[in-house]
Amino acid sequence: MKDVIAETTGQGPLVDPFGRAVTYLRVSVTDRCDFRCTYCMAETMQFLPKSEVLSLEEIERIASAFIRRGVRKVRLTGGEPLVRRGIVSLVDSLGRHLGRGLDELTLTTNGNQLAKHAEALATAGVRRVNVSLDTLDPDRFRRITRWGELPRVLDGIAAAKAAGLAIKINTVALRGINEDELGDMAAWCCREGHDLTFIETMPMGEVDEDRTDHYLPLSIVRAELAKRFTFRPTDYVTGGPARYVEVAETGRRIGFITPLTHNFCESCNRVRLTATGRLYMCLGQEDSADLRAAVRPSPSDADLDAAITEAITRKPKGHDFVIGRGQPRAAVPRHMSVTGG
Ligand code: SAM
Ligand code: SF4
């Protein structure tokens, strides 16, 4: 009886048409960034006017509505989440849900502002962060990020570690750019005590180059790494899309996110909120719902709850990413920084 009431009032758990429970919300808190990674952004980007971006209070309200409906994990991302003014107060207010429905509050960051914020994030209840790092070579780092300085990011990672945060490094595998140092990255992560996830480059948004030139299937990366490390299977899962192996020599994990060589949609439990309040039910599809229109004019959450319920009925079965010669350079026109990686 309770479930029937919840369903009709739009307040029950979120289950999509394929029976997948939606328990993970990613929020892009800004489309802006203090780097310009070549595979992610063009050097010159048109960013959103501030009036279109959700206020921190609106983000909190929407995230809270999802938590009431069974979302147990929230990840703040972007753009670069740590360039959003007031980000720590948002983390603080979301942190109050921890242990009261929310199991985990986390961030994906480029690490550039991490030294400044690590302590406050830990105090607010963040226990681990993902830091994107594609190389340990300062010149390469500058080439990939265009504006970044490697030592500053390494300082950020050290500060996060000192604050007690667990760190997972995200590395995009790029043919001809970092493919020769992926084994060294894995060894460094093992030494430093970080988990590591490799990612295939995805065709999202036009950038200044053709991603096909640097697309490196992780099947190749994995085979190369297996010459240096012994991989043991593990059933470790984080609620994210990575599949993990354990490195026998060190006991640490390496994850592989393979949207192109192995589609992971069948176990998808997540939805993504953009900085303007559009809810994307799939990273690789264009359909979205406008939650800002439900939240901005209305102090009551009834419209928001109804909009969320309706959106989840439209969650598609999966994405259709393909990368290669003869394919459009961008499968979806949105950059990863808009929807939040
Ligand atoms: N700025 C933060 C960062 O870099 O960690 C958070 C946002 S960024 C869009 C999130 C992740 O998406 C990063 O790990 C980045 O390397 C990855 N990414 C960006 N564009 C991508 C693309 N086209 N294909 C695969 N991964 C991408
Ligand atoms: Fe910025 Fe992250 Fe995109 Fe790099 S990957 S440009 S750090 S949003």
Side-chain angles (χ1 to χ4, degrees):
M1 187 63 183
K2 207 168 150 201
D3 284 351
V4 175
I5 293 169
E7 189 129 317
T8 47
T9 54
Q11 288 166 358
L14 299 169
V15 179
D16 79 2
F18 303 95
R20 297 169 298 190
V22 174
T23 55
Y24 184 178
L25 175 69
R26 291 194 179 201
V27 183
S28 173
V29 297
T30 176
D31 63 332
R32 291 164 198 256
C33 187
D34 45 1
F35 287 178
R36 289 289 180 277
C37 303
T38 49
Y39 52 77
C40 177
M41 292 194 184
E43 185 150 24
T44 311
M45 295 285 291
Q46 187 77 45
F47 292 115
L48 295 161
K50 293 227 163 62
S51 59
E52 287 195 21
V53 173
L54 293 176
S55 68
L56 296 176
E57 292 72 25
E58 287 168 334
I59 295 176
E60 213 260 316
R61 225 176 113 194
I62 295 174
S64 299
F66 274 97
I67 295 165
R68 282 199 301 277
R69 307 285 299 273
V71 159
R72 308 190 68 86
K73 175 168 173 176
V74 172
R75 175 178 299 282
L76 304 181
T77 176
E80 173 48 42
L82 296 183
V83 303
R84 174 83 197 246
R85 193 184 298 244
I87 183 69
V88 171
S89 69
L90 175 67
V91 176
D92 253 336
S93 49
L94 291 176
R96 292 194 196 114
H97 293 282
L98 287 164
R100 299 186 183 92
L102 188 63
D103 294 337
E104 185 172 22
L105 174 60
T106 184
L107 280 93
T108 300
T109 172
N110 62 22
N112 203 34
Q113 315 275 340
L114 197 50
K116 190 162 80 191
H117 293 305
E119 272 296 337
L121 295 177
T123 305
V126 173
R127 291 291 164 260
R128 56 183 189 133
V129 287
N130 288 3
V131 183
S132 303
L133 183 65
D134 302 326
T135 176
L136 290 166
D137 177 282
D139 292 330
R140 274 185 190 178
F141 189 79
R142 225 174 282 123
R143 178 175 167 215
I144 294 171
T145 62
R146 291 194 181 101
W147 297 357
E149 295 296 335
L150 180 65
R152 193 179 149 107
V153 170
L154 296 180
D155 284 351
I157 293 172
K161 196 173 167 183
L165 301 178
I167 293 153
K168 181 161 74 77
I169 301 294
N170 280 348
T171 301
V172 179
L174 299 161
R175 185 185 292 285
I177 297 183
N178 65 0
E179 65 179 311
D180 60 341
E181 65 166 316
L182 298 178
D184 291 345
M185 295 278 306
W188 178 78
C189 285
C190 287
R191 275 199 310 278
E192 295 291 318
H194 310 321
D195 282 335
L196 168 64
T197 295
F198 290 113
I199 309 175
E200 285 172 348
T201 176
M202 293 174 233
M204 298 191 60
E206 281 285 336
V207 290
D208 299 327
E209 58 185 36
D210 185 346
R211 287 191 187 85
T212 317
D213 295 339
H214 301 300
Y215 169 58
L216 180 59
L218 290 188
S219 46
I220 295 178
V221 173
R222 194 172 162 150
E224 275 303 309
L225 292 174
K227 293 179 189 161
R228 182 162 164 187
F229 303 101
T230 314
F231 290 154
R232 283 198 299 239
T234 163
D235 49 15
Y236 176 76
V237 283
T238 60
R243 283 152 203 271
Y244 287 87
V245 292
E246 200 173 88
V247 180
E249 288 80 359
T250 63
R252 297 221 66 87
R253 286 179 289 261
I254 298 182
F256 297 88
I257 300 185
T258 53
L260 294 131
T261 52
H262 185 289
N263 187 310
F264 43 62
C265 303
E266 70 279 359
S267 59
C268 182
N269 58 352
R270 68 207 83 102
V271 289
R272 294 172 154 89
L273 183 70
T274 70
T276 60
R278 293 213 79 90
L279 187 75
Y280 281 90
M281 286 70 80
C282 173
L283 179 66
Q285 303 282 0
E286 273 303 273
D287 189 28
S288 67
D290 186 1
L291 297 190
R292 191 183 65 193
V295 87
R296 193 161 274 189
S298 167
S300 137
D301 283 342
D303 290 349
L304 175 60
D305 276 325
I308 291 173
T309 302
E310 194 279 327
I312 299 304
T313 65
R314 288 193 269 133
K315 186 166 164 58
K317 196 164 181 196
H319 68 68
D320 309 307
F321 285 144
V322 188
I323 196 166
R325 310 272 168 217
Q327 299 293 336
R329 278 164 52 137
V332 290
R334 276 170 290 123
H335 289 88
M336 184 77 111
S337 52
V338 172
T339 330

PDB file of all heavy atoms in Angstrom, residues 180-208:
ATOM      1  N   ASP A 180      52.983   5.384 -23.887  1.00  0.00           N
ATOM      2  CA  ASP A 180      54.242   4.763 -23.471  1.00  0.00           C
ATOM      3  C   ASP A 180      54.488   4.868 -21.961  1.00  0.00           C
ATOM      4  O   ASP A 180      55.467   4.336 -21.463  1.00  0.00           O
ATOM      5  CB  ASP A 180      55.409   5.415 -24.234  1.00  0.00           C
ATOM      6  CG  ASP A 180      55.494   6.913 -23.967  1.00  0.00           C
ATOM      7  OD1 ASP A 180      54.489   7.494 -23.505  1.00  0.00           O
ATOM      8  OD2 ASP A 180      56.566   7.509 -24.203  1.00  0.00           O
ATOM      9  N   GLU A 181      53.644   5.588 -21.226  1.00  0.00           N
ATOM     10  CA  GLU A 181      53.922   5.720 -19.784  1.00  0.00           C
ATOM     11  C   GLU A 181      52.780   5.202 -18.910  1.00  0.00           C
ATOM     12  O   GLU A 181      52.739   5.471 -17.716  1.00  0.00           O
ATOM     13  CB  GLU A 181      54.285   7.165 -19.407  1.00  0.00           C
ATOM     14  CG  GLU A 181      53.196   8.169 -19.585  1.00  0.00           C
ATOM     15  CD  GLU A 181      53.513   9.518 -18.875  1.00  0.00           C
ATOM     16  OE1 GLU A 181      53.980   9.500 -17.728  1.00  0.00           O
ATOM     17  OE2 GLU A 181      53.268  10.556 -19.496  1.00  0.00           O
ATOM     18  N   LEU A 182      51.847   4.457 -19.520  1.00  0.00           N
ATOM     19  CA  LEU A 182      50.703   3.995 -18.730  1.00  0.00           C
ATOM     20  C   LEU A 182      51.137   2.971 -17.675  1.00  0.00           C
ATOM     21  O   LEU A 182      50.610   2.955 -16.560  1.00  0.00           O
ATOM     22  CB  LEU A 182      49.612   3.449 -19.654  1.00  0.00           C
ATOM     23  CG  LEU A 182      49.052   4.520 -20.625  1.00  0.00           C
ATOM     24  CD1 LEU A 182      48.005   3.912 -21.552  1.00  0.00           C
ATOM     25  CD2 LEU A 182      48.474   5.714 -19.883  1.00  0.00           C
ATOM     26  N   GLY A 183      52.136   2.169 -18.005  1.00  0.00           N
ATOM     27  CA  GLY A 183      52.679   1.210 -17.024  1.00  0.00           C
ATOM     28  C   GLY A 183      53.338   1.958 -15.868  1.00  0.00           C
ATOM     29  O   GLY A 183      53.174   1.588 -14.700  1.00  0.00           O
ATOM     30  N   ASP A 184      54.070   3.040 -16.202  1.00  0.00           N
ATOM     31  CA  ASP A 184      54.716   3.829 -15.148  1.00  0.00           C
ATOM     32  C   ASP A 184      53.670   4.526 -14.280  1.00  0.00           C
ATOM     33  O   ASP A 184      53.861   4.669 -13.069  1.00  0.00           O
ATOM     34  CB  ASP A 184      55.664   4.872 -15.757  1.00  0.00           C
ATOM     35  CG  ASP A 184      56.882   4.226 -16.396  1.00  0.00           C
ATOM     36  OD1 ASP A 184      57.130   3.036 -16.113  1.00  0.00           O
ATOM     37  OD2 ASP A 184      57.573   4.902 -17.183  1.00  0.00           O
ATOM     38  N   MET A 185      52.587   4.959 -14.908  1.00  0.00           N
ATOM     39  CA  MET A 185      51.496   5.588 -14.116  1.00  0.00           C
ATOM     40  C   MET A 185      50.951   4.571 -13.118  1.00  0.00           C
ATOM     41  O   MET A 185      50.688   4.885 -11.960  1.00  0.00           O
ATOM     42  CB  MET A 185      50.330   6.026 -15.020  1.00  0.00           C
ATOM     43  CG  MET A 185      50.615   7.110 -16.003  1.00  0.00           C
ATOM     44  SD  MET A 185      50.536   8.771 -15.349  1.00  0.00           S
ATOM     45  CE  MET A 185      48.955   8.901 -14.616  1.00  0.00           C
ATOM     46  N   ALA A 186      50.765   3.334 -13.608  1.00  0.00           N
ATOM     47  CA  ALA A 186      50.228   2.284 -12.728  1.00  0.00           C
ATOM     48  C   ALA A 186      51.208   2.013 -11.578  1.00  0.00           C
ATOM     49  O   ALA A 186      50.792   1.886 -10.418  1.00  0.00           O
ATOM     50  CB  ALA A 186      49.968   1.010 -13.532  1.00  0.00           C
ATOM     51  N   ALA A 187      52.497   1.969 -11.891  1.00  0.00           N
ATOM     52  CA  ALA A 187      53.494   1.710 -10.839  1.00  0.00           C
ATOM     53  C   ALA A 187      53.498   2.863  -9.829  1.00  0.00           C
ATOM     54  O   ALA A 187      53.580   2.648  -8.617  1.00  0.00           O
ATOM     55  CB  ALA A 187      54.873   1.537 -11.474  1.00  0.00           C
ATOM     56  N   TRP A 188      53.404   4.110 -10.329  1.00  0.00           N
ATOM     57  CA  TRP A 188      53.381   5.282  -9.434  1.00  0.00           C
ATOM     58  C   TRP A 188      52.159   5.229  -8.515  1.00  0.00           C
ATOM     59  O   TRP A 188      52.274   5.459  -7.307  1.00  0.00           O
ATOM     60  CB  TRP A 188      53.369   6.558 -10.295  1.00  0.00           C
ATOM     61  CG  TRP A 188      53.289   7.826  -9.503  1.00  0.00           C
ATOM     62  CD1 TRP A 188      54.303   8.454  -8.834  1.00  0.00           C
ATOM     63  CD2 TRP A 188      52.113   8.638  -9.279  1.00  0.00           C
ATOM     64  NE1 TRP A 188      53.835   9.595  -8.215  1.00  0.00           N
ATOM     65  CE2 TRP A 188      52.493   9.737  -8.469  1.00  0.00           C
ATOM     66  CE3 TRP A 188      50.779   8.551  -9.692  1.00  0.00           C
ATOM     67  CZ2 TRP A 188      51.600  10.726  -8.076  1.00  0.00           C
ATOM     68  CZ3 TRP A 188      49.884   9.531  -9.292  1.00  0.00           C
ATOM     69  CH2 TRP A 188      50.293  10.602  -8.490  1.00  0.00           C
ATOM     70  N   CYS A 189      51.010   4.911  -9.078  1.00  0.00           N
ATOM     71  CA  CYS A 189      49.793   4.836  -8.254  1.00  0.00           C
ATOM     72  C   CYS A 189      49.939   3.763  -7.179  1.00  0.00           C
ATOM     73  O   CYS A 189      49.543   3.967  -6.031  1.00  0.00           O
ATOM     74  CB  CYS A 189      48.564   4.550  -9.119  1.00  0.00           C
ATOM     75  SG  CYS A 189      48.054   5.992 -10.051  1.00  0.00           S
ATOM     76  N   CYS A 190      50.519   2.627  -7.560  1.00  0.00           N
ATOM     77  CA  CYS A 190      50.732   1.561  -6.572  1.00  0.00           C
ATOM     78  C   CYS A 190      51.618   2.065  -5.449  1.00  0.00           C
ATOM     79  O   CYS A 190      51.322   1.876  -4.271  1.00  0.00           O
ATOM     80  CB  CYS A 190      51.386   0.343  -7.228  1.00  0.00           C
ATOM     81  SG  CYS A 190      50.253  -0.553  -8.286  1.00  0.00           S
ATOM     82  N   ARG A 191      52.720   2.743  -5.822  1.00  0.00           N
ATOM     83  CA  ARG A 191      53.657   3.252  -4.799  1.00  0.00           C
ATOM     84  C   ARG A 191      52.987   4.267  -3.879  1.00  0.00           C
ATOM     85  O   ARG A 191      53.194   4.285  -2.681  1.00  0.00           O
ATOM     86  CB  ARG A 191      54.855   3.928  -5.481  1.00  0.00           C
ATOM     87  CG  ARG A 191      55.965   3.002  -5.883  1.00  0.00           C
ATOM     88  CD  ARG A 191      57.276   3.747  -6.113  1.00  0.00           C
ATOM     89  NE  ARG A 191      57.182   4.904  -6.987  1.00  0.00           N
ATOM     90  CZ  ARG A 191      57.182   4.866  -8.311  1.00  0.00           C
ATOM     91  NH1 ARG A 191      57.258   3.711  -8.929  1.00  0.00           N
ATOM     92  NH2 ARG A 191      57.111   5.966  -9.018  1.00  0.00           N
ATOM     93  N   GLU A 192      52.174   5.149  -4.473  1.00  0.00           N
ATOM     94  CA  GLU A 192      51.564   6.244  -3.706  1.00  0.00           C
ATOM     95  C   GLU A 192      50.306   5.808  -2.953  1.00  0.00           C
ATOM     96  O   GLU A 192      49.742   6.576  -2.183  1.00  0.00           O
ATOM     97  CB  GLU A 192      51.186   7.391  -4.661  1.00  0.00           C
ATOM     98  CG  GLU A 192      52.377   8.055  -5.335  1.00  0.00           C
ATOM     99  CD  GLU A 192      53.215   8.858  -4.340  1.00  0.00           C
ATOM    100  OE1 GLU A 192      52.628   9.545  -3.489  1.00  0.00           O
ATOM    101  OE2 GLU A 192      54.454   8.765  -4.424  1.00  0.00           O
ATOM    102  N   GLY A 193      49.815   4.601  -3.258  1.00  0.00           N
ATOM    103  CA  GLY A 193      48.611   4.119  -2.577  1.00  0.00           C
ATOM    104  C   GLY A 193      47.320   4.629  -3.198  1.00  0.00           C
ATOM    105  O   GLY A 193      46.299   4.720  -2.515  1.00  0.00           O
ATOM    106  N   HIS A 194      47.359   4.987  -4.491  1.00  0.00           N
ATOM    107  CA  HIS A 194      46.140   5.440  -5.171  1.00  0.00           C
ATOM    108  C   HIS A 194      45.585   4.328  -6.047  1.00  0.00           C
ATOM    109  O   HIS A 194      46.356   3.588  -6.667  1.00  0.00           O
ATOM    110  CB  HIS A 194      46.419   6.630  -6.105  1.00  0.00           C
ATOM    111  CG  HIS A 194      47.185   7.745  -5.470  1.00  0.00           C
ATOM    112  ND1 HIS A 194      46.971   8.156  -4.182  1.00  0.00           N
ATOM    113  CD2 HIS A 194      48.173   8.545  -5.957  1.00  0.00           C
ATOM    114  CE1 HIS A 194      47.794   9.161  -3.905  1.00  0.00           C
ATOM    115  NE2 HIS A 194      48.540   9.401  -4.952  1.00  0.00           N
ATOM    116  N   ASP A 195      44.244   4.246  -6.121  1.00  0.00           N
ATOM    117  CA  ASP A 195      43.659   3.410  -7.155  1.00  0.00           C
ATOM    118  C   ASP A 195      43.785   4.154  -8.480  1.00  0.00           C
ATOM    119  O   ASP A 195      44.030   5.364  -8.512  1.00  0.00           O
ATOM    120  CB  ASP A 195      42.187   3.109  -6.840  1.00  0.00           C
ATOM    121  CG  ASP A 195      42.056   2.028  -5.769  1.00  0.00           C
ATOM    122  OD1 ASP A 195      42.996   1.217  -5.637  1.00  0.00           O
ATOM    123  OD2 ASP A 195      41.037   2.001  -5.067  1.00  0.00           O
ATOM    124  N   LEU A 196      43.596   3.429  -9.567  1.00  0.00           N
ATOM    125  CA  LEU A 196      43.795   4.029 -10.894  1.00  0.00           C
ATOM    126  C   LEU A 196      42.734   3.493 -11.836  1.00  0.00           C
ATOM    127  O   LEU A 196      42.438   2.295 -11.822  1.00  0.00           O
ATOM    128  CB  LEU A 196      45.192   3.627 -11.409  1.00  0.00           C
ATOM    129  CG  LEU A 196      45.518   3.893 -12.875  1.00  0.00           C
ATOM    130  CD1 LEU A 196      45.518   5.391 -13.178  1.00  0.00           C
ATOM    131  CD2 LEU A 196      46.891   3.307 -13.231  1.00  0.00           C
ATOM    132  N   THR A 197      42.158   4.392 -12.622  1.00  0.00           N
ATOM    133  CA  THR A 197      41.215   3.952 -13.648  1.00  0.00           C
ATOM    134  C   THR A 197      41.630   4.541 -14.988  1.00  0.00           C
ATOM    135  O   THR A 197      41.880   5.750 -15.090  1.00  0.00           O
ATOM    136  CB  THR A 197      39.778   4.404 -13.304  1.00  0.00           C
ATOM    137  OG1 THR A 197      39.370   3.730 -12.115  1.00  0.00           O
ATOM    138  CG2 THR A 197      38.815   4.037 -14.405  1.00  0.00           C
ATOM    139  N   PHE A 198      41.720   3.689 -15.980  1.00  0.00           N
ATOM    140  CA  PHE A 198      41.977   4.161 -17.339  1.00  0.00           C
ATOM    141  C   PHE A 198      40.647   4.364 -18.055  1.00  0.00           C
ATOM    142  O   PHE A 198      39.678   3.626 -17.820  1.00  0.00           O
ATOM    143  CB  PHE A 198      42.809   3.129 -18.113  1.00  0.00           C
ATOM    144  CG  PHE A 198      44.231   3.032 -17.619  1.00  0.00           C
ATOM    145  CD1 PHE A 198      44.682   1.882 -16.989  1.00  0.00           C
ATOM    146  CD2 PHE A 198      45.110   4.086 -17.777  1.00  0.00           C
ATOM    147  CE1 PHE A 198      45.993   1.784 -16.519  1.00  0.00           C
ATOM    148  CE2 PHE A 198      46.422   4.007 -17.317  1.00  0.00           C
ATOM    149  CZ  PHE A 198      46.861   2.852 -16.695  1.00  0.00           C
ATOM    150  N   ILE A 199      40.609   5.382 -18.935  1.00  0.00           N
ATOM    151  CA  ILE A 199      39.372   5.728 -19.650  1.00  0.00           C
ATOM    152  C   ILE A 199      39.669   5.813 -21.148  1.00  0.00           C
ATOM    153  O   ILE A 199      40.720   6.327 -21.536  1.00  0.00           O
ATOM    154  CB  ILE A 199      38.841   7.122 -19.192  1.00  0.00           C
ATOM    155  CG1 ILE A 199      38.744   7.201 -17.667  1.00  0.00           C
ATOM    156  CG2 ILE A 199      37.515   7.459 -19.832  1.00  0.00           C
ATOM    157  CD1 ILE A 199      38.347   8.589 -17.144  1.00  0.00           C
ATOM    158  N   GLU A 200      38.743   5.319 -21.945  1.00  0.00           N
ATOM    159  CA  GLU A 200      38.860   5.518 -23.395  1.00  0.00           C
ATOM    160  C   GLU A 200      38.307   6.885 -23.754  1.00  0.00           C
ATOM    161  O   GLU A 200      37.305   7.321 -23.177  1.00  0.00           O
ATOM    162  CB  GLU A 200      38.049   4.452 -24.143  1.00  0.00           C
ATOM    163  CG  GLU A 200      38.721   3.096 -24.140  1.00  0.00           C
ATOM    164  CD  GLU A 200      37.839   1.993 -24.709  1.00  0.00           C
ATOM    165  OE1 GLU A 200      36.630   2.219 -24.900  1.00  0.00           O
ATOM    166  OE2 GLU A 200      38.366   0.898 -24.943  1.00  0.00           O
ATOM    167  N   THR A 201      38.924   7.549 -24.697  1.00  0.00           N
ATOM    168  CA  THR A 201      38.436   8.862 -25.111  1.00  0.00           C
ATOM    169  C   THR A 201      37.076   8.713 -25.809  1.00  0.00           C
ATOM    170  O   THR A 201      36.883   7.820 -26.616  1.00  0.00           O
ATOM    171  CB  THR A 201      39.487   9.591 -25.972  1.00  0.00           C
ATOM    172  OG1 THR A 201      38.929  10.801 -26.418  1.00  0.00           O
ATOM    173  CG2 THR A 201      39.946   8.794 -27.128  1.00  0.00           C
ATOM    174  N   MET A 202      36.136   9.579 -25.413  1.00  0.00           N
ATOM    175  CA  MET A 202      34.767   9.466 -25.939  1.00  0.00           C
ATOM    176  C   MET A 202      34.460  10.631 -26.872  1.00  0.00           C
ATOM    177  O   MET A 202      34.901  11.758 -26.617  1.00  0.00           O
ATOM    178  CB  MET A 202      33.756   9.479 -24.777  1.00  0.00           C
ATOM    179  CG  MET A 202      33.843   8.263 -23.897  1.00  0.00           C
ATOM    180  SD  MET A 202      32.752   8.427 -22.470  1.00  0.00           S
ATOM    181  CE  MET A 202      33.891   8.112 -21.141  1.00  0.00           C
ATOM    182  N   PRO A 203      33.685  10.362 -27.919  1.00  0.00           N
ATOM    183  CA  PRO A 203      33.423  11.398 -28.927  1.00  0.00           C
ATOM    184  C   PRO A 203      32.351  12.390 -28.480  1.00  0.00           C
ATOM    185  O   PRO A 203      31.236  12.375 -28.976  1.00  0.00           O
ATOM    186  CB  PRO A 203      32.980  10.576 -30.144  1.00  0.00           C
ATOM    187  CG  PRO A 203      32.392   9.328 -29.558  1.00  0.00           C
ATOM    188  CD  PRO A 203      33.104   9.056 -28.274  1.00  0.00           C
ATOM    189  N   MET A 204      32.716  13.268 -27.548  1.00  0.00           N
ATOM    190  CA  MET A 204      31.735  14.215 -27.008  1.00  0.00           C
ATOM    191  C   MET A 204      32.172  15.649 -27.244  1.00  0.00           C
ATOM    192  O   MET A 204      33.159  16.113 -26.671  1.00  0.00           O
ATOM    193  CB  MET A 204      31.582  13.993 -25.510  1.00  0.00           C
ATOM    194  CG  MET A 204      31.075  12.611 -25.181  1.00  0.00           C
ATOM    195  SD  MET A 204      30.609  12.497 -23.481  1.00  0.00           S
ATOM    196  CE  MET A 204      29.342  13.720 -23.361  1.00  0.00           C
ATOM    197  N   GLY A 205      31.423  16.356 -28.070  1.00  0.00           N
ATOM    198  CA  GLY A 205      31.705  17.771 -28.326  1.00  0.00           C
ATOM    199  C   GLY A 205      32.870  17.931 -29.285  1.00  0.00           C
ATOM    200  O   GLY A 205      33.805  17.132 -29.307  1.00  0.00           O
ATOM    201  N   GLU A 206      32.810  18.981 -30.096  1.00  0.00           N
ATOM    202  CA  GLU A 206      33.907  19.268 -31.025  1.00  0.00           C
ATOM    203  C   GLU A 206      35.089  19.844 -30.247  1.00  0.00           C
ATOM    204  O   GLU A 206      34.927  20.720 -29.409  1.00  0.00           O
ATOM    205  CB  GLU A 206      33.446  20.305 -32.065  1.00  0.00           C
ATOM    206  CG  GLU A 206      32.599  19.723 -33.188  1.00  0.00           C
ATOM    207  CD  GLU A 206      33.415  18.920 -34.211  1.00  0.00           C
ATOM    208  OE1 GLU A 206      34.634  19.161 -34.327  1.00  0.00           O
ATOM    209  OE2 GLU A 206      32.826  18.070 -34.892  1.00  0.00           O
ATOM    210  N   VAL A 207      36.287  19.322 -30.503  1.00  0.00           N
ATOM    211  CA  VAL A 207      37.504  19.920 -29.954  1.00  0.00           C
ATOM    212  C   VAL A 207      38.373  20.311 -31.143  1.00  0.00           C
ATOM    213  O   VAL A 207      37.969  20.140 -32.297  1.00  0.00           O
ATOM    214  CB  VAL A 207      38.234  18.945 -28.991  1.00  0.00           C
ATOM    215  CG1 VAL A 207      37.435  18.766 -27.710  1.00  0.00           C
ATOM    216  CG2 VAL A 207      38.471  17.588 -29.637  1.00  0.00           C
ATOM    217  N   ASP A 208      39.586  20.846 -30.876  1.00  0.00           N
ATOM    218  CA  ASP A 208      40.376  21.357 -32.001  1.00  0.00           C
ATOM    219  C   ASP A 208      41.050  20.253 -32.811  1.00  0.00           C
ATOM    220  O   ASP A 208      41.614  20.496 -33.849  1.00  0.00           O
ATOM    221  CB  ASP A 208      41.446  22.331 -31.473  1.00  0.00           C
ATOM    222  CG  ASP A 208      40.810  23.524 -30.773  1.00  0.00           C
ATOM    223  OD1 ASP A 208      39.719  23.933 -31.195  1.00  0.00           O
ATOM    224  OD2 ASP A 208      41.392  24.031 -29.808  1.00  0.00           O
TER     225      ASP A 208
END
